[in-house]
Amino acid sequence: MPKIVMAPTVVVTLVCIYGYMIWTAILSFTNSRMLPTYKFVGIDQYERLFNNDRWIVALTNLGVFGGLFILICLFLGVMLAIFLDQKIRAEGAIRTIYLYPMAISFIVTGTAWKWLLNPTNGFEKLMIDLGFENFKFDWLINPDMVVYCLVIAAVWQASGFVMALFLAGLRGVDGDLIKAAHLDGASTFTTYRRIILPSLKPVFFSALVILSHIAIKSFDLVAALTNGGPGYSSDLPANFMYAHTFTRSQIGLGSASAMVMLGCVLAILVPYLYSELRGKRHE
Amino acid sequence: MSNASTGRQTTWIEKALRFALYAVLLIMAAVYLMPFLVMLLTSLKDVEEIRTGTLLSLPGSLDLSAWSKAWGSACTGNNCAGISPYFLNSFQIVLPAVAISTLLGAINGYVISMWKFRGSDFFFAALLVGCFIPFQVILLPMARTLGWLGIANTTTGLVFVHVVYGVAFTTLFFRNFYQAIPGELVKAARLDGAGFFTIFYRIILPLSVPIIVVTVIWQFTQIWNDFLFGVAFSGFDTQPVTVALNNLVNTSFGGKEYNVDMAAAIIAALPTLAVYVLAGKYFVRGLTAGAVKG
């Protein structure tokens, strides 16, 4: 009976996760354009991909966006968690406020920030009306700066989540250890730096993996906030893949870009899972 | 660490630090709240007020016309019926998808933790990969499959997709929860002659209420907020609200009505915000359960 009950999930998983992955991999070695064809052209699509300026921009953006997004989220998340851990009155209410953006879709987040960041009505106007007449804030329409707009919105959305993870971790640290440190005369700062934070390494790695996963698959935020523009200056790989597969009839190229994205995720995931499993075995 | 600092007299330095701590925390709270506040204020203004005022200026009068327009008559693409039809589409997609994926997850988790068979652990590991893959890698084959099945561009198709890619998460949640239930419970019931489903209904399901709540909330939020599957697999009339909102905001003809955009955005966010406000504890548990892989 157990096997029969599991069978649908097994079949669906094998087909829809692994089968499709292989299918996309195969397509990435063909010259498919509007319709899938099975004429193999070797690694041509990958060569085209890496000679494609728009892809290089998307990949560079992913590096900048992902790097900053992860770093700032981790920094803010850890700081806020430590601050909230100091027996704060109304901690529950403050925590709730930090975390609520995580309940909202990236489409809504993008819509909201598009309004806040637009130069004619948003922050820029607010600052000018407040008396800063030369204030200029046009990142949203500046091809060199637009990727930082993505960072701002994404950090707003996800940093509270990192805070929640670390706060849960802090609450799980062995209280005796901390008491012992205090008895030895360690200051609160030293205790955090030398004892508490090092013991949160697993939380840190989980957060890192999840944040990089969010960054790599970011698609909706770009769609709503910048639509890839100006030009294609704020494209991310996910948007490149979608555009080429579904609107530009370049299925082969789109599939190749999807495989590169998969490679990025695996590069992060495999070492993480490996260390997790090894760690478990030692216990 | 509860009474580490009692017994010492609080000096003025400690008081000042304490004050600074609260100041930082409250300023950050204001920063997180600000976008939502601006959305709300903007949605209550008329176009003229938006043009002359600033982000934070208060609306002159309580004007709900942007809300009714967003709900009932704003244009998304060529269709001018507001976002209400799409809001209902989202419910039509989310409710069955959440129910089916949660049920499958419960049964899978039950099998994987209590009725292990050869290869069940391996299968679980293989399933977990499904939580992590970038969905771009399955997008095109899935589009073809939906076409073959004759459910392309339908709500049923989207339900199917969300169930398929949600089961990895729901199975993970239930499996981790059931791992903590003593195996003796099931063994004893088996000795008494109870079968697979009897044990599930009589013993396991009643114990599962907390994890069912967490899973339902997680799935509801994930599926409601989805955009990628919605935009790739929905038809003209079956778009979920996220897709409709994006179309509404990017509809370029006519003057830009930011108040309508903001009202529509809040409407699209309301169901998940309501869940968050009403069941925040379970929402956070879902987030952390999704974060900490077993």
Side-chain angles (χ1 to χ4, degrees), chain A residues 48-261:
Chain A
R48 278 181 65 207
L49 188 64
F50 282 94
N51 286 324
N52 184 322
D53 186 47
R54 186 169 173 182
W55 172 252
I56 300 301
V57 168
L59 215 51
T60 319
N61 280 344
L62 177 61
V64 175
F65 165 74
L68 283 174
F69 164 69
I70 292 168
L71 282 179
I72 300 174
C73 275
L74 282 175
F75 176 77
L76 268 181
V78 172
M79 293 311 291
L80 292 177
I82 291 178
F83 287 173
L84 271 181
D85 195 32
Q86 309 304 314
K87 283 171 245 129
I88 294 298
R89 213 173 294 169
E91 183 203 310
I94 298 178
R95 214 178 39 205
T96 306
I97 292 173
Y98 291 169
L99 194 59
Y100 86 94
M102 199 66 191
I104 297 173
S105 74
F106 264 125
I107 295 295
V108 172
T109 301
T111 305
W113 282 93
K114 188 181 194 166
W115 166 233
L116 288 163
L117 295 172
N118 90 59
T120 39
N121 293 298
F123 275 130
E124 186 174 297
K125 179 150 180 274
L126 178 68
M127 296 308 274
I128 289 172
D129 286 353
L130 285 175
F132 302 90
E133 274 167 36
N134 295 318
F135 187 84
K136 205 161 158 52
F137 188 71
D138 64 350
W139 288 6
L140 197 61
I141 51 166
N142 181 340
D144 294 327
M145 304 303 282
V146 66
V147 65
Y148 302 107
C149 290
L150 297 176
V151 176
I152 293 173
V155 164
W156 176 78
Q157 168 127 354
S159 48
F161 163 61
V162 182
M163 180 277 305
L165 276 185
F166 274 96
L167 198 58
L170 287 174
R171 297 286 147 85
V173 174
D174 184 4
D176 290 342
L177 212 67
I178 299 164
K179 255 180 220 157
H182 275 291
L183 286 178
D184 285 347
S187 68
T188 311
F189 179 74
T190 319
T191 318
Y192 271 106
R193 194 169 60 89
R194 303 288 295 272
I195 296 174
I196 302 179
L197 287 181
S199 73
L200 293 184
K201 241 183 219 161
V203 180
F204 178 80
F205 280 116
S206 299
L208 192 67
V209 169
I210 295 158
L211 289 173
S212 31
H213 187 237
I214 294 178
I216 293 171
K217 61 177 204 176
S218 274
F219 168 72
D220 19 13
L221 183 64
V222 178
L225 183 61
T226 66
N227 204 11
Y232 51 77
S233 57
S234 62
D235 251 356
L236 289 179
N239 306 82
F240 178 97
M241 182 275 165
Y242 186 85
H244 284 78
T245 308
F246 289 96
T247 57
R248 301 180 125 231
S249 302
Q250 294 284 344
I251 287 179
L253 195 63
S255 302
S257 69
M259 293 317 287
V260 177
M261 290 179 66

Side-chain angles (χ1 to χ4, degrees), chain B residues 130-267:
Chain B
C131 299
F132 284 108
I133 56 164
F135 289 130
Q136 279 74 19
V137 93
I138 50 88
L139 222 45
L140 185 77
M142 184 47 104
R144 299 251 121 196
T145 309
L146 292 178
W148 283 333
L149 294 175
I151 50 175
N153 304 336
T154 65
T155 348
T156 318
L158 276 171
V159 171
F160 175 74
V161 173
H162 282 298
V163 169
V164 167
Y165 297 105
V167 160
F169 271 107
T170 57
T171 303
L172 170 75
F173 284 14
F174 280 98
R175 181 264 188 186
N176 286 358
F177 182 80
Y178 291 152
Q179 249 358 33
I181 294 178
E184 285 77 32
L185 212 62
V186 176
K187 269 188 205 130
R190 276 167 95 168
L191 285 178
D192 287 346
F196 180 82
F197 281 113
T198 317
I199 297 176
F200 185 61
Y201 286 130
R202 293 283 184 75
I203 302 177
I204 302 299
L205 267 191
L207 289 172
S208 310
V209 176
I211 194 65
I212 291 176
V213 174
V214 169
T215 308
V216 166
I217 288 178
W218 166 272
Q219 284 297 90
F220 181 87
T221 316
Q222 292 298 308
I223 301 174
W224 185 275
N225 287 344
D226 162 72
F227 178 73
L228 180 64
F229 289 152
V231 78
F233 301 139
S234 70
F236 189 67
D237 296 324
T238 55
Q239 289 168 351
V241 70
T242 46
V243 178
L245 172 64
N246 196 46
N247 289 344
L248 172 85
V249 173
N250 289 324
T251 296
S252 46
F253 55 82
K256 201 83 206 84
E257 295 179 300
Y258 290 107
N259 49 354
V260 178
D261 290 359
M262 291 303 122
I266 297 178
I267 293 172

